[in-house]
């Protein structure tokens, strides 16, 4: 993957121009979608529509529709034949593909403004772009206070990529019939709720920041499962004492929020308190474990969200490097399961016994 430069000079310079004007193309696609232009062309199907008809059935005037359609042609979002416009395949997926919609909304509502400060974030190793929303050291304690669209798009993005993988992971996690599970970085409590519904004998404790626990507690109370799901407020980067009774330590899309040094430090602390026979289950998206180039592209792009908006020092890692972090912390991978849900990998780990 990405080992050879196969483009001709003409294709390469064309691609370079697409990169140079990428923000214009992105915003065009978003406006075509949100103004109703793509949905109207989709409705018209093979009949297509003239620009006057498109304008009448959108939220924009004729000038706005014309400039968007011209850029849409260059972006291969629409097709123009004999005075009529038609929805192209790219436009179809922009309109109908759930993953594309989630990714676009996340890019627009969470990342777009802040990415202007990417160079500062790279220099400072701090999320310089987060300042567009407020004064926080990282995005995590701010999630409940983000503006409405940013908050909604952040959680939609997070849940889209985790939900399908949760269902696929449950049989493997519960293969040894654990009775106590720690959900480290429990977020909104979705995994804890899934576990309790999957196995009536398990008790779950969510380990997370106080702000995140407040979010998950509300969801768990609504679900009527407060008697089986407990909470342990903790900053996993601190030296606070950790509990050690769990059969399973679960981390889903958690460790990508930290630098390699922080990952090793946290896992080392967990290894010290784990009881004999306990397992560490890590579910992550690794860019080099994907089946499709588009998936690797998406993950590497999202790594820049971590750089600029989230914390300034983490990313979606390669599974090759991640194995080294586990070994440094005293773990070995007992079982690896790729392609769960939308490209997740589940690593079932045990502590290396000396």
């Amino acid at each position: 993957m990405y080992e050879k430069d196969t483009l001709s000079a003409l294709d390469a310079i064309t691609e370079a121009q697409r990169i140079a004007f990428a923000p214009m193309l992105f915003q065009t696609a978003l406006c075509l979608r949100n103004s109703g232009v793509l949905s109207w062309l989709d409705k018209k199907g093979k009949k297509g529509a003239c620009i006057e008809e498109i304008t009448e059935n959108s939220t924009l005037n004729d000038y706005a529709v014309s400039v968007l359609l011209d850029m849409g042609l260059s972006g291969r979002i629409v097709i123009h034949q004999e005075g009529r416009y038609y929805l192209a395949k790219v436009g179809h997926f922009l309109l109908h593909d759930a993953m594309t919609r989630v990714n676009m909304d996340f890019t627009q509502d969470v990342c777009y403004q802040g990415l202007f400060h990417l160079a500062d974030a790279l220099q400072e190793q701090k999320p310089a772009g987060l300042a567009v929303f407020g004064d926080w050291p990282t995005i995590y304690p701010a999630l409940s206070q983000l503006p409405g669209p940013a908050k909604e798009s952040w959680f939609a993005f997070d849940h889209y990529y985790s939900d399908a993988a949760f269902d696929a992971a449950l049989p493997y996690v519960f293969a040894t019939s654990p009775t106590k599970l720690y959900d480290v970085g429990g977020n909104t409590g979705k995994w804890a709720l899934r576990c309790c519904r999957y196995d009536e004998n398990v008790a779950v404790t969510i380990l997370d920041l106080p702000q995140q626990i407040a979010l998950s507690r509300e969801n768990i109370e609504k679900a009527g499962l407060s008697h089986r799901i407990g909470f342990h407020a903790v900053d996993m980067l601190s030296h606070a004492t950790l509990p050690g009774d769990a059969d399973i330590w679960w981390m889903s899309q958690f460790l990508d929020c930290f630098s390699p040094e922080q990952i090793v430090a946290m896992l080392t602390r967990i290894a010290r308190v784990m009881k004999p026979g306990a397992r560490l289950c890590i579910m992550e998206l690794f860019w080099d474990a994907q089946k499709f180039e588009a998936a690797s592209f998406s993950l590497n792009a999202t790594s820049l969200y971590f750089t600029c908006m989230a914390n300034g020092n983490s990313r979606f890692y390669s599974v090759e490097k991640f194995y080294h972090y586990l070994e440094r912390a005293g773990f070995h991978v007992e079982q690896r399961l790729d392609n769960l849900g939308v490209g997740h990998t589940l690593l079932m780990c045990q502590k290396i016994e000396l």
Side-chain angles (χ1 to χ4, degrees), residues 147-202:
K151 181 178 175 181
E152 291 165 14
S153 294
W154 192 96
F155 282 108
F157 182 85
D158 181 75
H159 292 163
Y160 177 83
Y161 284 101
S162 62
D163 282 2
F166 281 173
D167 291 336
L170 282 166
Y172 298 103
V173 174
F174 282 87
T176 56
S177 301
T179 58
K180 291 185 179 180
L181 183 146
Y182 290 163
D183 183 2
V184 184
N187 208 330
T188 59
K190 275 205 164 191
W191 170 253
L193 291 170
R194 294 277 182 95
C195 289
C196 289
R197 289 165 180 156
Y198 185 83
D199 189 327
E200 62 183 14
N201 297 312
V202 73

Side-chain angles (χ1 to χ4, degrees), residues 97 108 128 152:
D97 181 58
Q108 170 71 0
E152 291 165 14

Side-chain angles (χ1 to χ4, degrees), residues 85-101:
Y85 292 88
Y86 304 84
L87 191 66
K89 290 177 183 176
V90 171
H92 171 86
F93 287 112
L94 287 171
L95 185 62
H96 292 294
D97 181 58
M99 179 170 62
T100 301
R101 181 173 288 272

